[in-house]
Amino acid sequence: MNDKLRLHGFNNLTKSLSFNIYDICYTKTDKERQEYIEYIDELYNADRLTKILTDVVDIIGANILNIARQDYDPQGASVTILVAEHEVPPSEDLMDEKPGPLRDTVVAHLDKSHVTVHTYPESHPHGGISTFRADIDVSTCGLISPLKALNYLIHSFDSDMVTIDYRVRGFTRDVDGVKHYIDHDINSIQNYLSEDTQNAYQMIDVNVYQENTFHTKMLLKDFELDNYLFGEGVKTMDEAERAEVEAKLRKEMLEIFYSRNMP
């Protein structure tokens, strides 16, 4: 959409970003598994998640109307933030298809939008694999895309896998009554990721351009077994056990990355 295009009224496009992260760990004993779940549950409790989402609201330039947050028993947390419009439009630079800032404030028109996060710590019943998932949704109505918050979100979590969905819905009219179904250029979600993130992950896209729907999957390239162990680490394992555990971890990661179970 041309920057000088005059709209008939408020920008009615809805832009929705769904951001899912996965953290994988091998826990050899029931005690280690419980300790890992308690550790990750504390690391991503409602207070810390509220801080992350508050920073996201700052990045997209919104005003917070209400915050609802809850820690669950035995584990998990949810935070929902309702945000309202800001009176100052974003600069042209913030509409470009490139990574957004980490902490700087970005100003945008928003109206009755929301930011939410839910966490899901879980473990395999007998395989020793524990998987933590966090789902974050950022929905905006107005000029700026919530993709500008993506760079900060990825740097806020230690993620082995990331799945990102972005969709622009609805339409807005110009002063001549012509409908516009998207108001910014986008070729790939990957273009909104910083260079260090692009270098760290293997990524694939599934995009439906005619529907303004974009999907990116990310899998961490580096694999250091010690980073996936909760307890004393590889020093207590022989070569055969290390190979077995690594195979289990890689299988879990590939199943999540490709969204299918493997033999």
mmCIF file of all heavy atoms in Angstrom, residues 220-240:
data_model
loop_
_atom_site.group_PDB
_atom_site.id
_atom_site.type_symbol
_atom_site.label_atom_id
_atom_site.label_comp_id
_atom_site.label_asym_id
_atom_site.label_seq_id
_atom_site.Cartn_x
_atom_site.Cartn_y
_atom_site.Cartn_z
ATOM 1 N N LEU A 220 16.869 -25.274 15.725
ATOM 2 C CA LEU A 220 18.216 -24.862 16.106
ATOM 3 C C LEU A 220 19.247 -25.764 15.431
ATOM 4 O O LEU A 220 19.142 -26.985 15.462
ATOM 5 C CB LEU A 220 18.359 -24.929 17.626
ATOM 6 C CG LEU A 220 19.546 -24.183 18.250
ATOM 7 C CD1 LEU A 220 19.428 -22.689 18.026
ATOM 8 C CD2 LEU A 220 19.616 -24.500 19.746
ATOM 9 N N LYS A 221 20.273 -25.151 14.830
ATOM 10 C CA LYS A 221 21.280 -25.919 14.090
ATOM 11 C C LYS A 221 22.248 -26.635 15.032
ATOM 12 O O LYS A 221 22.553 -27.808 14.843
ATOM 13 C CB LYS A 221 22.063 -24.993 13.158
ATOM 14 C CG LYS A 221 21.257 -24.421 12.006
ATOM 15 C CD LYS A 221 22.119 -23.491 11.168
ATOM 16 C CE LYS A 221 21.342 -22.880 10.019
ATOM 17 N NZ LYS A 221 22.174 -21.917 9.242
ATOM 18 N N ASP A 222 22.775 -25.937 16.002
ATOM 19 C CA ASP A 222 23.787 -26.520 16.888
ATOM 20 C C ASP A 222 23.150 -27.510 17.854
ATOM 21 O O ASP A 222 22.079 -27.260 18.408
ATOM 22 C CB ASP A 222 24.504 -25.420 17.673
ATOM 23 C CG ASP A 222 25.392 -24.559 16.787
ATOM 24 O OD1 ASP A 222 25.761 -25.041 15.704
ATOM 25 O OD2 ASP A 222 25.700 -23.426 17.185
ATOM 26 N N PHE A 223 23.834 -28.627 18.052
ATOM 27 C CA PHE A 223 23.356 -29.629 18.998
ATOM 28 C C PHE A 223 24.511 -30.041 19.899
ATOM 29 O O PHE A 223 25.440 -30.720 19.463
ATOM 30 C CB PHE A 223 22.787 -30.850 18.273
ATOM 31 C CG PHE A 223 22.163 -31.859 19.201
ATOM 32 C CD1 PHE A 223 20.814 -31.808 19.488
ATOM 33 C CD2 PHE A 223 22.937 -32.846 19.810
ATOM 34 C CE1 PHE A 223 20.224 -32.729 20.341
ATOM 35 C CE2 PHE A 223 22.360 -33.771 20.670
ATOM 36 C CZ PHE A 223 21.003 -33.714 20.941
ATOM 37 N N GLU A 224 24.475 -29.609 21.141
ATOM 38 C CA GLU A 224 25.462 -29.968 22.153
ATOM 39 C C GLU A 224 24.713 -30.714 23.247
ATOM 40 O O GLU A 224 23.887 -30.139 23.950
ATOM 41 C CB GLU A 224 26.139 -28.731 22.713
ATOM 42 C CG GLU A 224 27.221 -29.010 23.740
ATOM 43 C CD GLU A 224 28.397 -29.774 23.176
ATOM 44 O OE1 GLU A 224 28.811 -29.456 22.045
ATOM 45 O OE2 GLU A 224 28.891 -30.685 23.868
ATOM 46 N N LEU A 225 25.002 -32.018 23.389
ATOM 47 C CA LEU A 225 24.204 -32.880 24.263
ATOM 48 C C LEU A 225 24.075 -32.324 25.675
ATOM 49 O O LEU A 225 23.003 -32.393 26.285
ATOM 50 C CB LEU A 225 24.806 -34.289 24.294
ATOM 51 C CG LEU A 225 24.028 -35.343 25.105
ATOM 52 C CD1 LEU A 225 22.594 -35.461 24.611
ATOM 53 C CD2 LEU A 225 24.733 -36.694 25.041
ATOM 54 N N ASP A 226 25.140 -31.775 26.206
ATOM 55 C CA ASP A 226 25.101 -31.252 27.574
ATOM 56 C C ASP A 226 24.023 -30.190 27.762
ATOM 57 O O ASP A 226 23.512 -30.004 28.871
ATOM 58 C CB ASP A 226 26.467 -30.675 27.963
ATOM 59 C CG ASP A 226 27.126 -31.490 29.076
ATOM 60 O OD1 ASP A 226 26.409 -32.243 29.754
ATOM 61 O OD2 ASP A 226 28.346 -31.373 29.252
ATOM 62 N N ASN A 227 23.694 -29.463 26.695
ATOM 63 C CA ASN A 227 22.681 -28.409 26.796
ATOM 64 C C ASN A 227 21.273 -28.961 26.964
ATOM 65 O O ASN A 227 20.340 -28.216 27.262
ATOM 66 C CB ASN A 227 22.725 -27.519 25.553
ATOM 67 C CG ASN A 227 24.014 -26.740 25.438
ATOM 68 O OD1 ASN A 227 24.693 -26.482 26.439
ATOM 69 N ND2 ASN A 227 24.386 -26.365 24.223
ATOM 70 N N TYR A 228 21.119 -30.282 26.764
ATOM 71 C CA TYR A 228 19.793 -30.894 26.819
ATOM 72 C C TYR A 228 19.633 -31.846 28.001
ATOM 73 O O TYR A 228 18.645 -32.577 28.076
ATOM 74 C CB TYR A 228 19.510 -31.643 25.517
ATOM 75 C CG TYR A 228 19.446 -30.729 24.317
ATOM 76 C CD1 TYR A 228 20.596 -30.437 23.590
ATOM 77 C CD2 TYR A 228 18.253 -30.137 23.939
ATOM 78 C CE1 TYR A 228 20.549 -29.582 22.493
ATOM 79 C CE2 TYR A 228 18.189 -29.286 22.855
ATOM 80 C CZ TYR A 228 19.343 -29.012 22.134
ATOM 81 O OH TYR A 228 19.288 -28.162 21.068
ATOM 82 N N LEU A 229 20.598 -31.816 28.911
ATOM 83 C CA LEU A 229 20.560 -32.718 30.057
ATOM 84 C C LEU A 229 20.283 -31.942 31.329
ATOM 85 O O LEU A 229 20.817 -30.842 31.522
ATOM 86 C CB LEU A 229 21.886 -33.479 30.188
ATOM 87 C CG LEU A 229 22.313 -34.303 28.976
ATOM 88 C CD1 LEU A 229 23.642 -34.986 29.251
ATOM 89 C CD2 LEU A 229 21.248 -35.332 28.611
ATOM 90 N N PHE A 230 19.454 -32.500 32.172
ATOM 91 C CA PHE A 230 19.146 -31.890 33.461
ATOM 92 C C PHE A 230 19.668 -32.825 34.542
ATOM 93 O O PHE A 230 19.155 -33.920 34.733
ATOM 94 C CB PHE A 230 17.632 -31.676 33.621
ATOM 95 C CG PHE A 230 17.285 -30.702 34.699
ATOM 96 C CD1 PHE A 230 17.315 -29.342 34.456
ATOM 97 C CD2 PHE A 230 16.941 -31.138 35.963
ATOM 98 C CE1 PHE A 230 16.991 -28.434 35.451
ATOM 99 C CE2 PHE A 230 16.617 -30.247 36.964
ATOM 100 C CZ PHE A 230 16.649 -28.876 36.714
ATOM 101 N N GLY A 231 20.733 -32.423 35.200
ATOM 102 C CA GLY A 231 21.400 -33.283 36.171
ATOM 103 C C GLY A 231 22.902 -33.129 36.037
ATOM 104 O O GLY A 231 23.406 -32.037 35.806
ATOM 105 N N GLU A 232 23.632 -34.241 36.109
ATOM 106 C CA GLU A 232 25.089 -34.171 36.102
ATOM 107 C C GLU A 232 25.694 -34.131 34.706
ATOM 108 O O GLU A 232 26.896 -33.952 34.550
ATOM 109 C CB GLU A 232 25.664 -35.361 36.888
ATOM 110 C CG GLU A 232 25.263 -35.351 38.361
ATOM 111 C CD GLU A 232 25.939 -36.464 39.131
ATOM 112 O OE1 GLU A 232 26.953 -36.991 38.638
ATOM 113 O OE2 GLU A 232 25.466 -36.787 40.222
ATOM 114 N N GLY A 233 24.914 -34.333 33.663
ATOM 115 C CA GLY A 233 25.415 -34.173 32.310
ATOM 116 C C GLY A 233 26.065 -35.417 31.745
ATOM 117 O O GLY A 233 25.966 -36.521 32.293
ATOM 118 N N VAL A 234 26.805 -35.233 30.639
ATOM 119 C CA VAL A 234 27.346 -36.359 29.883
ATOM 120 C C VAL A 234 28.453 -37.089 30.633
ATOM 121 O O VAL A 234 28.776 -38.239 30.302
ATOM 122 C CB VAL A 234 27.877 -35.897 28.513
ATOM 123 C CG1 VAL A 234 26.755 -35.351 27.656
ATOM 124 C CG2 VAL A 234 28.961 -34.833 28.685
ATOM 125 N N LYS A 235 29.053 -36.473 31.634
ATOM 126 C CA LYS A 235 30.177 -37.104 32.333
ATOM 127 C C LYS A 235 29.768 -38.392 33.043
ATOM 128 O O LYS A 235 30.618 -39.229 33.353
ATOM 129 C CB LYS A 235 30.802 -36.127 33.319
ATOM 130 C CG LYS A 235 29.881 -35.682 34.449
ATOM 131 C CD LYS A 235 30.563 -34.650 35.334
ATOM 132 C CE LYS A 235 29.653 -34.196 36.463
ATOM 133 N NZ LYS A 235 30.315 -33.174 37.314
ATOM 134 N N THR A 236 28.491 -38.569 33.304
ATOM 135 C CA THR A 236 28.019 -39.788 33.979
ATOM 136 C C THR A 236 27.563 -40.855 32.985
ATOM 137 O O THR A 236 27.117 -41.924 33.392
ATOM 138 C CB THR A 236 26.858 -39.454 34.925
ATOM 139 O OG1 THR A 236 25.744 -38.956 34.160
ATOM 140 C CG2 THR A 236 27.275 -38.400 35.952
ATOM 141 N N MET A 237 27.655 -40.589 31.672
ATOM 142 C CA MET A 237 27.153 -41.508 30.651
ATOM 143 C C MET A 237 28.297 -42.175 29.911
ATOM 144 O O MET A 237 29.335 -41.550 29.635
ATOM 145 C CB MET A 237 26.283 -40.756 29.628
ATOM 146 C CG MET A 237 25.036 -40.114 30.192
ATOM 147 S SD MET A 237 24.140 -39.240 28.875
ATOM 148 C CE MET A 237 22.646 -38.761 29.737
ATOM 149 N N ASP A 238 28.093 -43.441 29.525
ATOM 150 C CA ASP A 238 29.049 -44.066 28.622
ATOM 151 C C ASP A 238 28.648 -43.746 27.180
ATOM 152 O O ASP A 238 27.619 -43.111 26.928
ATOM 153 C CB ASP A 238 29.129 -45.582 28.856
ATOM 154 C CG ASP A 238 27.795 -46.290 28.685
ATOM 155 O OD1 ASP A 238 26.944 -45.799 27.903
ATOM 156 O OD2 ASP A 238 27.580 -47.334 29.327
ATOM 157 N N GLU A 239 29.464 -44.187 26.234
ATOM 158 C CA GLU A 239 29.245 -43.818 24.843
ATOM 159 C C GLU A 239 27.907 -44.324 24.319
ATOM 160 O O GLU A 239 27.208 -43.618 23.573
ATOM 161 C CB GLU A 239 30.381 -44.379 23.990
ATOM 162 C CG GLU A 239 30.331 -43.923 22.538
ATOM 163 C CD GLU A 239 31.549 -44.360 21.743
ATOM 164 O OE1 GLU A 239 32.562 -44.728 22.373
ATOM 165 O OE2 GLU A 239 31.477 -44.334 20.501
ATOM 166 N N ALA A 240 27.517 -45.528 24.703
ATOM 167 C CA ALA A 240 26.255 -46.098 24.224
ATOM 168 C C ALA A 240 25.060 -45.307 24.738
ATOM 169 O O ALA A 240 24.101 -45.040 23.995
ATOM 170 C CB ALA A 240 26.145 -47.563 24.659
#
